[in-house]
Amino acid sequence: CARRDAAVGGPCESREGAHVEMLRRVQSAVALLLALASTTLTNIAYLREHDAAAKLPVLSMRRPVQSARVLLGDRSWMLGFVMESGGFLLYAGALALASLALVQSVVAGGIGILAFASARIAHRRLTRRELSGVLLSVLGLGALGISLAGATSKGGSGSTIEILVWLGVAAALALVLLAAGRRLHAVAVAYGLAGGLFFSIGDVATKVATEGGARLAFVVALIAGYTLGTALLQIGYQAGSALTVAGLATLLTNAVPIAAGTIVLHESV
């Protein structure tokens, strides 16, 4: 195209702008498909891990090495873990193409997948209370997805200090929930919520790490968040059902990163 066309905003510039916009929309569409595949695989993995962990000797955060050996030595649990890891890779791919809030709004549907899959495996119907809880969770998080329909960019970057403070507060809240859960004898609920908060730390860190450069250092928070989240869920599985533990974890794993995306990373809503 001639320089004159570009200088006056002619057809060359218009075609280039249309091409960029089309590319963004294609990236967003691919990200949404990856997110959907990720949440499906991850929630099926949760069910496998629950069934395996429930049959294993008592796990404890006070004996991390012994507990890790027990889990890694069980083939059924390892299959679930491999599936969960595959779901994470799909999730990371989605975050590289779209905003954290947009991806999480799709992943929110995983609560529904978890609920119906758990009932199917147990050969039972969901109770009215379970169904109501699942629908409210999916609809509430899905509402954010509708509001994010026009967001096609990867999102903002945010201040490193603000991100670190957010992650620190999430970790502190998780520890408070664990202490309260032990005192109130609500281990399954506490470990599910705390696990979800640590997973949210991993999710936010994953998004930040995909920006590259100095922010690759957030891989440390990524590993710590997912490791602690996974460990807490396994202990919770031995105290409660998959829908209770993984369901609560999934709820926070979706809601907290969506909030982080808009508040800390300054993504458009």
Side-chain angles (χ1 to χ4, degrees), residues 55-190:
K55 299 175 183 177
L56 295 176
V58 177
L59 304 172
S60 173
M61 294 293 287
R62 297 179 180 177
R63 300 187 300 276
V65 176
Q66 179 182 344
S67 296
R69 286 177 179 173
V70 170
L71 290 170
L72 296 176
D74 187 86
R75 288 188 177 183
S76 181
W77 186 88
M78 278 300 298
L79 177 59
F81 182 70
V82 169
M83 293 172 65
E84 184 182 353
S85 299
F88 166 74
L89 293 176
L90 292 172
Y91 175 76
L95 287 181
L97 298 173
S99 69
L100 176 61
L102 180 60
V103 171
Q104 288 294 159
S105 68
V106 176
V107 174
I111 298 177
I113 296 173
L114 175 67
F116 288 103
S118 64
R120 187 72 178 264
I121 291 175
H123 302 291
R124 68 176 181 85
R125 292 184 177 182
L126 290 172
T127 65
R128 185 170 297 179
R129 176 187 248 177
E130 290 174 335
L131 186 58
S132 298
V134 169
L135 289 176
L136 284 174
S137 299
V138 173
L139 289 175
L141 293 169
L144 277 176
I146 295 174
S147 69
L148 292 167
T152 57
S153 66
K154 293 182 181 180
S157 296
S159 163
T160 299
I161 297 299
E162 290 179 355
I163 295 171
L164 289 173
V165 170
W166 182 279
L167 299 183
V169 171
L173 182 55
L175 295 178
V176 170
L177 286 172
L178 288 174
R182 294 192 191 100
R183 181 169 298 182
L184 299 174
H185 303 290
V187 175
V189 172

Side-chain angles (χ1 to χ4, degrees), residues 205 209 215-226:
R215 292 199 163 185
L216 282 174
F218 276 89
V219 168
V220 175
L222 180 162
I223 294 173
Y226 286 135

